[in-house]
Amino acid sequence: MTHACCGPGYASPEAATKAEREKVLYTIAIYTGSSIVEPDYLATVDVDPNSPTYAQVIHRLPMPYVGDELHHFGWNACSSCHGDASKSRRFMVIPGQRSSRIHIVDTADIKAPKLHKVIEPEEIKEKTNLTAPHTVHCLADSHVMISMLGDSEGNGPGGFLLLDENFDIAGRWERKADGMRFNYDFWYQPRHNIMVSSEWGAPKTFYPGFDLNDVAAGNYGHQLHFWDWSKHEIIQSFDLGEEGLIPLEVRFHHNPDSTHGYVGAALSSNVWHWHKSNGHWQVEKVIDVPSVEVEGWPIPVPSLITDILISIDDRYIYFSNWLHGDIRQYDISDPSHPKLTGQVWLGGLLGKSSEIQSHKLTGGPQMLQLSLDGKRLYVTNSLFSTWDNQFYPDLAKAGSYLLQIDCDTENGGLKINENFYVDFGKEPAGPSRAHEMRYPGGDSTSDIWV
């Protein structure tokens, strides 16, 4: 969304919370890892309750090739570029996690995006020795930065790729990555000259699926890295150990003056809080979700915290427990002592979920996106194709759901919106799996204020 006086996004988090309601939502939808030999695509979903096509996919943009495994994506510009009137939030950067191909999509026609450019993996490998792109963040200096999870052979630790404003490869961001064994997500907070990154595993470890032996062998990450944003090097790493296995999504407060942030450790099923106190970064565990005995499972089943986000007013944190099947809302007014204020069940292995519009919910709640005003939480249920096939073998045949949860922002609380159900099991080429979501006007996981 552009304004005559300034660039993309909003002047402040408070201004963002007062923006107009989202009317269009983008989500990637994949056929990779299923029996359907079709390209993954970008789906445009109508989320305007006053529209005749409400809760329907109204456009599909297929990628040029089969097997990309589109996963996470982001914008060329966001609120970090708000002061630059020459910038606009027009292009989406959509990488293939498996192919390492990067697609640039033009959203000048908001409801019918078009492919603008493709960056081939061979060029990325040749210029940077990187593969397996994950998180996309726009930077205030017009670059786009992408976390890369592997080298050209699929080994860790990967690194960070920079694209310039023409979407040409500008090289690698990091100057020194000593101590980083793996890579995954990142978030930067310029006022504190800091970036935080997390660890999943090497692509060759997680591509085939999850093997418990890889945990024992140390092939999955358990570290959180704090980087000097101006020097592009790690200044401090925290080993979260057995209690912090596979730390995934990292989220700073949206208030750029704050040093508070959180990461969800997927396999350990807990949430860690960091902040800067007396000039030093500190990390503490603040939420634990106990594992549950499930018949037929060799070990107590972890909740598997996969996605996590913070409302733009920094009051609530939301996360999904993909294997247990619930989404939780916590009040984080006191950042070190989150209080559980809401919970809903959407699929999962514990059998606590109800039907929605006569649909049995397959899989478990996974990717989350929150409206700017914090009142609507959207959720999809696919994690990663091989992991889906392993833990929820019916998901590829059933296709994803896209649901909306109503959030009580005054007192806390979550409630399923029974009028909203997008069924990716009924797509024209067959059932597909939806993952990350974005809005044209920005959202709580891509906008950073400087």
Side-chain angles (χ1 to χ4, degrees):
M1 193 169 293
T2 54
H3 304 275
C5 62
C6 43
Y10 306 94
S12 67
E14 186 184 15
T17 63
K18 294 172 181 168
E20 67 177 40
R21 178 181 173 138
E22 70 284 352
K23 293 182 178 173
V24 163
L25 176 148
Y26 301 119
T27 182
I28 58 96
I30 71 162
Y31 286 118
T32 304
S34 74
S35 60
I36 299 170
V37 185
E38 290 285 340
D40 302 340
Y41 59 100
L42 179 72
T44 306
V45 180
D46 186 338
V47 292
D48 178 1
N50 298 316
S51 166
T53 51
Y54 177 57
Q56 293 177 33
V57 177
I58 55 173
H59 185 267
R60 298 164 185 86
L61 175 67
M63 298 299 119
Y65 303 97
V66 171
D68 283 310
E69 184 120 6
L70 304 183
H71 195 60
H72 286 219
F73 62 107
W75 292 99
N76 68 308
C78 66
S79 292
S80 65
C81 303
H82 182 68
D84 187 345
S86 70
K87 300 284 181 293
S88 67
R89 192 186 334 240
R90 174 175 164 180
F91 294 96
M92 270 189 288
V93 179
I94 309 181
Q97 165 62 219
R98 223 172 257 276
S99 68
S100 299
R101 195 174 284 114
I102 297 173
H103 311 86
I104 312 300
V105 170
D106 187 349
T107 68
D109 181 344
I110 286 175
K111 291 187 176 177
K114 293 183 171 66
L115 190 63
H116 173 72
K117 179 178 179 176
V118 177
I119 305 169
E120 295 293 347
E122 293 75 18
E123 183 186 359
I124 296 169
K125 288 177 190 175
E126 183 189 334
K127 292 181 176 174
T128 66
N129 188 35
L130 293 170
T131 58
H134 192 268
T135 301
V136 177
H137 275 305
C138 55
L139 308 188
D141 67 0
S142 301
H143 283 88
V144 171
M145 185 157 140
I146 307 172
S147 60
M148 308 289 285
L149 308 196
D151 65 11
S152 56
E153 303 297 315
N155 298 306
F160 298 90
L161 176 76
L162 286 175
L163 302 178
D164 66 20
E165 56 189 322
N166 298 317
F167 307 110
D168 292 324
I169 295 170
R172 290 174 74 144
W173 175 84
E174 76 280 8
R175 295 199 185 110
K176 256 171 78 180
D178 296 3
M180 181 172 86
R181 293 187 58 223
F182 307 108
N183 198 13
Y184 184 69
D185 194 25
F186 72 101
W187 193 288
Y188 63 95
Q189 201 81 317
R191 288 189 193 180
H192 303 287
N193 190 38
I194 205 76
M195 179 180 91
V196 179
S197 71
S198 60
E199 298 187 334
W200 184 6
K204 68 178 189 182
T205 299
F206 65 75
Y207 277 177
F210 179 73
D211 183 343
L212 203 54
N213 293 324
D214 281 323
V215 179
N219 294 336
Y220 281 106
H222 43 78
Q223 291 189 104
L224 208 53
H225 303 290
F226 287 73
W227 301 73
D228 184 301
W229 183 239
S230 55
K231 292 182 180 171
H232 305 197
E233 58 187 47
I234 294 172
I235 51 172
Q236 194 172 1
S237 293
F238 289 91
D239 189 338
L240 307 179
E242 295 290 311
E243 281 283 271
L245 290 169
I246 315 187
L248 293 182
E249 315 298 334
V250 297
R251 309 295 189 210
F252 256 108
H253 268 175
H254 297 284
N255 174 1
D257 287 327
S258 173
T259 65
H260 293 280
Y262 298 85
V263 62
L267 197 57
S268 301
S269 304
N270 47 39
V271 176
W272 295 74
H273 163 241
W274 72 75
H275 65 109
K276 195 174 187 180
S277 176
N278 301 322
H280 300 284
W281 291 97
Q282 299 177 12
V283 175
E284 60 181 343
K285 188 178 67 166
V286 292
I287 299 170
D288 250 325
V289 181
S291 298
V292 175
E293 298 277 356
V294 175
E295 195 176 339
W297 280 73
I299 58 167
V301 175
S303 76
L304 212 75
I305 296 173
T306 46
D307 200 13
I308 186 169
L309 59 77
I310 299 174
S311 61
I312 287 187
D313 64 3
D314 294 333
R315 181 172 170 192
Y316 292 106
I317 200 166
Y318 297 86
F319 63 80
S320 51
N321 292 306
W322 190 59
L323 291 181
H324 284 187
D326 60 316
I327 294 175
R328 297 187 180 197
Q329 174 200 56
Y330 285 78
D331 187 321
I332 52 168
S333 303
D334 178 351
S336 292
H337 301 94
K339 290 182 183 157
L340 181 63
T341 48
Q343 185 177 29
V344 287
W345 294 88
L346 305 166
L349 298 172
L350 305 189
K352 295 187 178 183
S353 174
S354 56
E355 292 188 345
I356 299 178
Q357 293 186 12
S358 303
H359 293 279
K360 180 178 182 286
L361 300 182
T362 309
Q366 213 284 97
M367 289 308 295
L368 306 173
Q369 193 52 267
L370 190 66
S371 61
L372 291 169
D373 64 7
K375 293 180 178 175
R376 291 166 302 284
L377 184 71
Y378 296 91
V379 54
T380 57
N381 59 339
S382 168
L383 175 65
F384 192 69
S385 62
T386 42
W387 294 42
D388 290 348
N389 295 343
Q390 193 174 348
F391 294 104
Y392 292 114
D394 294 336
L395 190 53
K397 297 179 198 132
S400 275
Y401 60 62
L402 168 57
L403 302 176
Q404 184 189 301
I405 313 298
D406 295 327
C407 308
D408 185 335
T409 56
E410 296 297 316
N411 310 304
L414 299 176
K415 187 167 176 260
I416 296 164
N417 179 349
E418 300 281 350
N419 298 318
F420 188 97
Y421 187 96
V422 183
D423 186 0
F424 282 88
K426 298 281 195 290
E427 286 292 272
S432 67
R433 290 182 264 194
H435 193 68
E436 189 169 56
M437 299 156 280
R438 298 272 178 229
Y439 319 120
D443 53 60
S444 66
T445 57
S446 65
D447 272 300
I448 293 176
W449 281 268
V450 297

